Amino acid sequence: MDTLFNTKFEGEPATHTQPGVQLQSNTYDLQESNVRLKLTIVSTVGFGDQINKEDSYKPIVEFIDAQFEAYLQEELKIRRVLHTYHDSRIHVCLYFIAPTGHSLKSLDLVTMKKLDSKVNIIPIIAKADAISKSELTKFKIKITSELVSNGVQIYQFPTDDESVAEINGTMNAHLPFAVIGSTEELKIGNKMMRARQYPWGTVQVENEAHCDFVKLREMLIRVNMEDLREQTHTRHYELYRRCKLEEMGFKDTDPDSKPFSLQETYEAKRNEFLGELQKKEEEMRQMFVQRVKEKEAELKEAEKELHEKFDRLKKLHQDEKKKLEDKKKSLDDEVNAFKQRKTAAELLQSQGSQAGGSQTLKRDKEKKK
């Protein structure tokens, strides 16, 4: 892009470790002589870097649709200011193809197939100096054949205008363009030219014998810029607009082939929306009632379990209490029996002591006699 517009655009290089595809949009105001151009460049950061590339195209499609939706919402306003509206719709997709020399990747075919009804696609073979001239010619034929066989519709330069029919017809035969980019200027002969310096020689960016950069610049900026904008509006945007309005229930004629009534459609859609809203409300209410019943059942079950547990503990407590009372009674009986035996023993001992004393007294009396 720097080479194409001869400008140093701001932007930081991104790593190849992105978790998904991210789109970065930057808008620039360019001026050359008296010509002013508002240019928006959208980069698909991380495209093709993931192991699972199945959904790599989705963020790109969603971004393009979002720009169409924003334009549609502006168009549907009662007071439209489209002449001052910043049109953010994507007018051209420069789809870069790796210079493998073999065939297109499955990711390229799937992505271009998903995008061809939403944006003008111009396929470009990047870093074309990495492949020989003979291989490049075969590679272009191979790419064109694969695009046709897979039904991918790339942008064709218009040939209906006599003033550009010849050049556009010629350029259509050169698609896809093989380009080389460089902002480095080298002195070649007596002129400073943008080129790439290699140990084996120099590749000139603006030399049509070396690459198709000049062809791309001519077709994109000078010859067909307005047609790209027109194709975006009349073909891609109109397709999105028609599908979107049909989803909303709008049609050109009603089932009786009478002129379409916007008011009737609005009322029908409003009633349909209210019906769906009431249906969802009823479903949510039923769901709430069901959940309340389920919760009540759970609480009752928990309460039943608690009562059963309480009864078990109460019975266990009563059994333990009865055991303790029985044991206490047994101990009391043993204590009473022990006291009785002790009392009896003391009584016997006391009687024995009295008998011994009387015998001693009798012996003393006999001795005195």
Side-chain angles (χ1 to χ4, degrees), residues 159-206:
T159 56
D160 51 352
D161 187 349
E162 294 182 358
S163 59
V164 294
E166 184 177 353
I167 186 173
N168 279 348
T170 303
M171 290 301 143
N172 282 329
H174 283 85
L175 289 173
F177 291 135
V179 301
I180 302 166
S182 176
T183 55
E184 181 182 358
E185 292 191 348
L186 300 175
K187 189 172 183 180
I188 300 174
N190 296 325
K191 295 182 179 180
M192 296 297 294
M193 303 181 69
R194 286 182 291 180
R196 299 183 72 88
Q197 183 71 51
Y198 292 99
W200 43 262
T202 303
V203 177
Q204 301 173 26
V205 172
E206 296 177 302

Side-chain angles (χ1 to χ4, degrees), residues 211-225:
C211 72
D212 298 330
F213 174 79
V214 174
K215 296 182 178 68
L216 173 65
R217 185 177 61 190
E218 289 288 323
M219 293 296 99
L220 186 64
I221 300 176
R222 297 179 181 174
V223 180
N224 297 299
M225 181 177 287

Side-chain angles (χ1 to χ4, degrees), residues 4-22:
L4 194 61
F5 291 94
N6 196 23
T7 304
K8 181 62 177 176
F9 293 112
E10 298 177 0
E12 297 180 357
T15 63
H16 292 278
T17 57
Q18 300 289 334
V21 181
Q22 299 177 352

Side-chain angles (χ1 to χ4, degrees), residues 128-153:
D129 52 343
I131 188 171
S132 67
K133 279 286 184 182
S134 59
E135 290 175 338
L136 182 60
T137 302
K138 294 178 182 178
F139 191 35
K140 283 188 175 187
I141 296 171
K142 181 71 173 176
I143 291 173
T144 304
S145 175
E146 288 186 344
L147 291 175
V148 172
S149 61
N150 286 276
V152 179
Q153 298 180 359

Side-chain angles (χ1 to χ4, degrees), residues 110-306:
V110 171
T111 303
M112 282 194 276
K113 185 62 180 175
K114 294 291 183 180
L115 293 178
D116 64 358
S117 62
K118 296 181 177 295
V119 68
N120 302 310
I121 300 175
I122 298 180
I124 295 174
I125 300 173
K127 300 181 180 179
D129 52 343
I131 188 171
S132 67
K133 279 286 184 182
S134 59
E135 290 175 338
L136 182 60
T137 302
K138 294 178 182 178
F139 191 35
K140 283 188 175 187
I141 296 171
K142 181 71 173 176
I143 291 173
T144 304
S145 175
E146 288 186 344
L147 291 175
V148 172
S149 61
N150 286 276
V152 179
Q153 298 180 359
I154 63 173
Y155 175 73
Q156 294 290 319
F157 303 118
T159 56
D160 51 352
D161 187 349
E162 294 182 358
S163 59
V164 294
E166 184 177 353
I167 186 173
N168 279 348
T170 303
M171 290 301 143
N172 282 329
H174 283 85
L175 289 173
F177 291 135
V179 301
I180 302 166
S182 176
T183 55
E184 181 182 358
E185 292 191 348
L186 300 175
K187 189 172 183 180
I188 300 174
N190 296 325
K191 295 182 179 180
M192 296 297 294
M193 303 181 69
R194 286 182 291 180
R196 299 183 72 88
Q197 183 71 51
Y198 292 99
W200 43 262
T202 303
V203 177
Q204 301 173 26
V205 172
E206 296 177 302
N207 188 335
E208 294 191 49
H210 292 182
C211 72
D212 298 330
F213 174 79
V214 174
K215 296 182 178 68
L216 173 65
R217 185 177 61 190
E218 289 288 323
M219 293 296 99
L220 186 64
I221 300 176
R222 297 179 181 174
V223 180
N224 297 299
M225 181 177 287
E226 284 304 315
D227 184 73
L228 287 166
R229 291 164 58 90
E230 184 180 348
Q231 285 290 322
T232 298
H233 184 78
T234 59
R235 180 186 169 197
H236 303 299
Y237 170 70
E238 281 300 319
L239 176 61
Y240 175 85
R241 177 179 175 275
R242 184 173 70 250
C243 294
K244 193 70 174 179
L245 292 178
E246 286 177 353
E247 286 179 8
M248 296 168 65
F250 296 103
K251 298 179 182 178
D252 292 331
T253 58
D254 61 14
D256 299 328
S257 299
K258 294 181 180 179
F260 183 73
S261 173
L262 184 63
Q263 179 66 24
E264 291 178 1
T265 302
Y266 170 76
E267 290 295 336
K269 275 294 176 181
R270 183 174 180 274
N271 293 333
E272 182 183 348
F273 174 75
L274 291 176
E276 290 179 358
L277 191 63
Q278 290 176 355
K279 184 179 178 182
K280 288 182 179 179
E281 185 178 354
E282 181 63 22
E283 289 176 355
M284 291 179 66
R285 191 182 70 81
Q286 292 293 340
M287 187 182 298
F288 176 74
V289 171
Q290 182 65 26
R291 287 186 178 179
V292 169
K293 289 181 178 179
E294 291 175 357
K295 197 65 178 178
E296 286 179 350
E298 289 177 4
L299 291 173
K300 286 181 180 179
E301 186 67 25
E303 184 180 4
K304 183 180 178 182
E305 290 178 359
L306 285 173

